[in-house]
């Protein structure tokens, strides 16, 4: 089988939100999206003091895509206009389908604001095809205990969330997503369909992939091939995914991702009319 070569690497751009440490690898300079992957914010890692204000993401709308949020450390309190509420803790994931329109909040629980502690969160936006952009909004909390730790051998461990064997979520578009950890000195080869887009972001540590180096806090893109070879000289943690490209126009404005400017205008109008409630 042909190994996928590394094409380019893109550094995450530092873009703090108030006192929240934030790095954004996607969109970035030279990489507006990786169809169907649209956006990634990496918050933290950092430690909040007692009596902090917590996360700043009060009520805001979305339409036309899905958000997948990995809580690597700390906790996140979610509520939305569908009535869903949950607190996602260390190692858990929340998967929200905005679909036709939803308003949600992502804040810190009162206990975290009172006591403080470590916090690290990844939020990935995944596009939906035109046929699914108006699907009914939905929310799923995936606590850490439901995400298996799959031993891939050679010092590699995968925590699959969707698409991979053993993953707890069946996504609308068959996207594979999970976090991959390689111990120092390990190397693995993963089969990935040749027509799929790979999502590869180094959360921690430096990886070798596709015949080259991907430094910490970098996004990597790869050429065609049937498998991806990943190695580590030091312990590395990677947000890894792959999916078939949608190959449709992408028009994004603020919290909405649609196929045309007209649909963006319609989204704002629907939100102002209160139709996301």
């Amino acid at each position: 089988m042909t190994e996928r070569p590394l094409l380019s690497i893109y550094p995450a751009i530092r873009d703090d939100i108030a006192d929240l440490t934030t790095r954004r690898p996607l969109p970035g300079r030279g990489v507006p999206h990786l169809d169907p992957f649209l956006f990634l914010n990496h918050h933290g890692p950092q430690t909040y003091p007692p009596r902090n204000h917590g996360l700043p993401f009060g009520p805001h709308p979305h339409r036309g895509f899905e958000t997948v949020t990995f809580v690597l450390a700390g906790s996140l309190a979610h509520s939305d206009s569908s009535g869903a509420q949950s607190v996602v803790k260390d190692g858990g994931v929340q998967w929200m389908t905005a679909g036709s329109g939803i308003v949600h909040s992502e804040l810190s629980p009162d206990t975290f604001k009172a006591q403080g502690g470590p916090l690290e969160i990844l939020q990935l936006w995944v596009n939906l095809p035109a046929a699914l952009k108006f699907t009914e909004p939905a929310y799923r909390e995936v606590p850490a205990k439901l995400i298996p730790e799959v031993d891939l051998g050679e010092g590699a461990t995968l925590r699959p969330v969707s698409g991979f064997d053993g993953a707890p979520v069946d996504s609308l578009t068959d996207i594979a997503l999970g976090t991959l950890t390689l111990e120092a000195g390990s190397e693995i080869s993963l089969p990935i369909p040749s027509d799929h887009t790979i999502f590869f972001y180094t959360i921690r540590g430096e990886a070798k992939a596709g015949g080259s180096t991907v430094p910490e806090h970098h996004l990597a893109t790869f050429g065609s091939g049937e498998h991806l070879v990943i190695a580590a000289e030091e312990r590395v943690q990677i947000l890894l995914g792959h999916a078939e490209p949608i190959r449709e126009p992408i028009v994004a404005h603020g919290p909405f991702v649609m196929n045309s400017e007209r649909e963006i205008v319609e989204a704002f109008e629907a939100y102002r009319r209160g139709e996301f409630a």
Side-chain angles (χ1 to χ4, degrees):
M1 291 193 297
T2 307
E3 179 182 348
R4 287 200 169 206
L6 188 141
L7 295 181
S8 300
I9 57 172
Y10 302 91
I13 305 303
R14 187 72 178 262
D15 188 14
D16 293 354
I17 303 171
D19 59 353
L20 178 61
T21 300
T22 300
R23 296 175 178 86
R24 184 173 301 116
L26 189 71
R29 300 186 186 110
V31 55
H33 57 78
L34 289 173
D35 184 18
F37 305 102
L38 300 169
F39 174 99
L40 177 66
N41 261 352
H42 181 184
H43 303 301
Q46 66 192 98
T47 300
Y48 273 74
R51 298 179 297 279
N52 64 79
H53 297 293
L55 294 169
F57 305 116
H60 57 281
H62 289 303
R63 172 182 273 184
F65 62 99
E66 299 185 284
T67 66
V68 187
T69 308
F70 296 76
V71 181
L72 302 181
S75 56
L76 170 66
H78 168 95
S79 62
D80 65 49
S81 54
S82 76
Q85 293 187 350
S86 72
V87 175
V88 183
K89 299 180 180 178
D90 295 19
V93 171
Q94 63 172 21
W95 194 298
M96 188 184 77
T97 302
S100 61
I102 199 167
V103 178
H104 76 144
S105 297
E106 297 162 303
L107 301 170
S108 296
D110 289 342
T111 52
F112 183 87
K113 289 189 286 186
Q115 301 171 8
L119 181 76
E120 186 172 16
I121 293 172
L122 301 168
Q123 185 171 93
L124 179 67
W125 293 11
V126 180
N127 201 13
L128 287 171
L132 293 175
K133 283 193 178 293
F134 287 89
T135 194
E136 184 177 353
Y139 174 80
R140 179 168 179 180
E141 176 193 357
V142 188
K145 65 182 180 181
L146 294 184
I147 303 173
E149 293 193 359
V150 180
D151 183 359
L152 301 179
E154 305 298 330
T157 303
L158 177 69
R159 297 188 74 240
V161 174
S162 69
F164 296 107
D165 289 344
V169 174
D170 292 325
S171 73
L172 292 174
T173 52
D174 295 325
I175 286 174
L177 274 178
T179 53
L180 175 68
T181 302
L182 274 72
E183 301 299 333
S186 62
E187 179 177 306
I188 59 168
S189 177
L190 296 175
I192 294 176
S194 59
D195 61 340
H196 278 204
T197 301
I198 293 176
F199 190 89
F200 187 108
Y201 173 69
T202 46
I203 304 167
R204 208 166 343 274
E206 180 179 278
K208 305 285 185 181
S212 192
T213 299
V214 186
E216 184 176 71
H217 302 152
H218 278 65
L219 184 75
T221 61
F222 298 89
S224 60
E226 287 75 40
H227 67 221
L228 179 65
V229 176
I230 311 170
E233 294 180 357
E234 60 182 21
R235 193 173 194 269
V236 63
Q237 186 179 27
I238 299 161
L239 178 60
L240 180 68
H242 63 85
E244 185 176 356
I246 295 172
R247 298 186 178 91
E248 293 177 355
I250 297 173
V251 180
H253 189 93
F256 307 130
V257 181
M258 304 302 291
N259 295 106
S260 69
E261 294 286 353
R262 179 67 239 169
E263 287 176 321
I264 293 292
V265 172
E266 290 170 353
F268 275 104
E269 291 173 347
Y271 171 59
R272 293 187 188 109
R273 290 194 298 266
E275 295 177 10
F276 289 11

